Amino acid sequence: MSDMPATDPIETVETEPVISTEADDFERLHPLTIVLKTVAAASQNLIAMGVLYFSVFDRNIIYTLLAAISLMAVITGISALVWSRFTYHVGPTEIRIKSGLFQRNNRSIPFDRIQDVSLEQKLVSRLLGLATVKLETGASAGEDGKLDALALNDAQALRDLLRDYKSGLVAGSGTATGIAAEKTVIPPLFAMDSRRIFIAGLFNFSFVLLAILGAIAQNLDFLIPSEYFDPWYWADRFSEREVIHSIGLTAQIAGAVGALFSLIFIGVGSGLVRTFVREHGFRLDRVDTGQPGFRRRRGLLTLTDMVMPIHRVQAAIIATGPVREYFGWYHLKLQSLAGDPSGETDHSAAPCARPEEFAPILSETNIAGPTDEILFQSVNAAFWWRDAVIMFLILMTVAIIGGLHVHPGVFAAMLLAVPAIAIMYLNWRRHRFVLSGNQLFVRRGWWRRRLTILPIRKIQTADISQSPLDHPLDLATLTLGVAGGTSLAPLRISAIPLNQAHALRAQLI
């Protein structure tokens, strides 16, 4: 009798939790995942069904419906098979995922390797009360974990379990049950109502709608006469003098103005819709579950809920434009090592804010914003006039060759040099930099204005390069390497004296 406690298997399991590999310990995703996969696949095949209806089946609705039903049956069957073969298990210190129809994959993701966890809810998922859990491990593209989809409560509990583990609150001692969703409730650092989203949309001019219409027209080009896509057809049409002369001068001007305003209306409208869909319900909170961070929630059709640890913020980017800056509006982004569900790492922290509104956000990251006392240094004027000369020579060559051999109207290409050179000059006027304290400030761009605030401690590399055009003028470009970020180009300070570039690099590294 006295030996029983030492050999009791139940006590052993309670005191030494292990991850079981039995099939019963693994769970499946929510059964409604089959519906989500089916709806997503069906929506991707709508254009294909339209092609079948108009071309293959010669507008026979019966055959088209039968084909659609057969396709939906196949998609549903495959989705059900994939769902049945995908299982996961949340253990004390790791998540195990089994997947694959024919080639089975058994993957283990230790909690210690998970750098961040975020939730995503597309429109259908929100209606069904589901959420996708995305695990960022810092591995190569396509190697992060994803559980699509779980019941919203289970997804939130799993997210809180992982964050608490990383914060040392549970240290691998339990499962995703009984974890509080939020530890503290504080006012948001920044939030946007419908009026603020509307203001942001006015500045986000976009031709997304035209791109969508163009894609639809390209896929349904068999419905439109082929000559409509031939530029020479339109050139011949408008070169006929009787067509132009049949329209009065006033009508011609009105038509041109109307076309211009139509493009502006489409651009503004597309920007408003795009901004409202992306930024609806925008809210940025400061959270602290052991590691201070920013929690951002936004989205109308796709609701994203992600947390960005403050210690992973690398730099701050204050973006604006000529019109936006005139009215005092700015877009604060935080360049971070953490990625959100869309893969973006230049996180929007305040899409449309005044300087006094995003100042508290910067203070949380220990990044000081610009002040009037900071005096920026300019770069060499060769930044603009070298490119202006090259572009002028290219345009002149094209205009002469085209005007003599194609059409005299090609000579008008020289007029493009005026706005292009003006923009180059304005870009040079805006390109400024200064090293103030322990931060580097770099301004670039006239139309798309960006002020990057980079703490020196976050700089990983500093490279000095000289192009063939730099050598005669003894100029150089300083390129700074910073971890994270989705900017199209690295941070550069161009057209500065070579000795100044070496001195600045010595201060930064």
Side-chain angles (χ1 to χ4, degrees), residues 39-71:
V39 171
S43 62
Q44 296 172 358
N45 289 275
L46 288 178
I47 295 179
M49 296 308 301
V51 172
L52 291 176
Y53 173 73
F54 286 104
S55 57
V56 178
F57 297 135
D58 195 19
R59 302 190 180 186
N60 189 311
I61 189 63
I62 302 298
Y63 291 159
T64 305
L65 288 176
L66 291 176
I69 293 173
S70 301
L71 179 62

Side-chain angles (χ1 to χ4, degrees), residues 384-395:
W384 74 273
W385 63 257
R386 289 181 307 185
D387 294 339
V389 170
I390 294 174
M391 188 206 61
F392 181 80
L393 294 175
I394 293 175
L395 282 177

Side-chain angles (χ1 to χ4, degrees), residues 201 204-208 210 262-272:
N204 289 332
F205 193 85
S206 173
F207 281 125
V208 172
L210 286 180
S262 297
L263 288 176
I264 295 176
F265 177 80
I266 293 175
V268 173
S270 299
L272 285 171

Side-chain angles (χ1 to χ4, degrees), residues 444-463:
R444 291 190 71 101
W446 171 76
W447 183 254
R448 299 184 63 181
R449 303 180 178 184
R450 292 168 64 94
L451 170 61
T452 302
I453 309 174
L454 178 60
I456 294 178
R457 66 183 185 279
K458 299 294 186 178
I459 298 176
Q460 294 187 331
T461 60
D463 302 325

Side-chain angles (χ1 to χ4, degrees), residues 27 73 102 123 136 140 167 180 188 191 212 214 218 241 243 248 257 338 347 361 390 394 434 480-481 508:
E27 303 178 49
F102 303 106
L123 180 60
E136 182 194 347
S140 58
S167 302
I212 294 175
Q218 184 177 6
R241 293 184 180 275
V243 176
V257 173
H347 298 291
I361 303 175
I390 294 174
I394 293 175
V434 64
L480 303 174
L508 297 177

Side-chain angles (χ1 to χ4, degrees), residues 119-334:
L119 302 186
E120 180 182 280
Q121 285 185 288
K122 296 185 181 298
L123 180 60
V124 179
S125 299
R126 294 173 68 180
L127 296 175
L128 298 177
L130 305 178
T132 298
V133 180
K134 294 190 176 183
L135 309 173
E136 182 194 347
T137 62
S140 58
E143 291 299 321
D144 290 349
K146 179 179 178 181
L147 297 178
D148 186 11
L150 302 177
L152 181 57
N153 292 336
D154 294 338
Q156 292 174 339
L158 177 58
R159 175 195 63 188
D160 295 332
L161 168 68
L162 295 174
R163 289 179 181 167
D164 287 345
Y165 179 90
K166 298 294 290 184
S167 302
L169 299 181
V170 294
S173 62
T175 60
T177 59
I179 305 297
E182 296 292 337
K183 302 299 177 296
T184 58
V185 178
I186 57 177
L189 284 174
F190 182 78
M192 291 175 55
D193 55 15
S194 298
R195 176 180 174 274
R196 184 64 64 91
I197 295 175
F198 177 79
I199 295 175
L202 291 176
F203 298 115
N204 289 332
F205 193 85
S206 173
F207 281 125
V208 172
L209 180 58
L210 286 180
I212 294 175
L213 294 177
I216 294 176
Q218 184 177 6
N219 285 277
L220 300 178
D221 56 355
F222 58 88
L223 298 177
I224 305 174
S226 59
E227 61 267 17
Y228 283 10
F229 296 94
D230 185 1
W232 296 108
Y233 168 80
W234 294 106
D236 294 338
R237 290 282 295 174
F238 286 105
S239 63
E240 299 175 4
R241 293 184 180 275
E242 59 272 13
V243 176
I244 299 177
H245 285 286
S246 62
I247 305 175
L249 178 61
T250 304
Q252 295 178 33
I253 297 176
V257 173
L260 178 61
F261 274 95
S262 297
L263 288 176
I264 295 176
F265 177 80
I266 293 175
V268 173
S270 299
L272 285 171
V273 173
R274 182 184 178 189
T275 303
F276 191 83
V277 170
R278 183 181 64 244
E279 310 294 356
H280 176 73
F282 187 98
R283 179 186 173 102
L284 184 75
D285 297 281
R286 187 188 187 281
V287 294
D288 190 353
T289 56
Q291 288 184 341
F294 297 120
R295 180 186 181 187
R296 188 192 68 192
R297 285 164 284 184
R298 66 174 182 177
L300 178 63
L301 301 181
T302 300
L303 175 63
T304 59
D305 185 347
M306 57 86 61
V307 171
M308 173 177 51
I310 292 178
H311 74 275
R312 304 189 72 188
V313 174
Q314 303 297 298
I317 301 172
I318 302 175
T320 185
V323 180
R324 176 181 288 195
E325 187 174 13
Y326 176 80
F327 289 100
W329 298 107
Y330 300 87
H331 184 174
L332 175 64
K333 298 181 179 181
L334 298 178

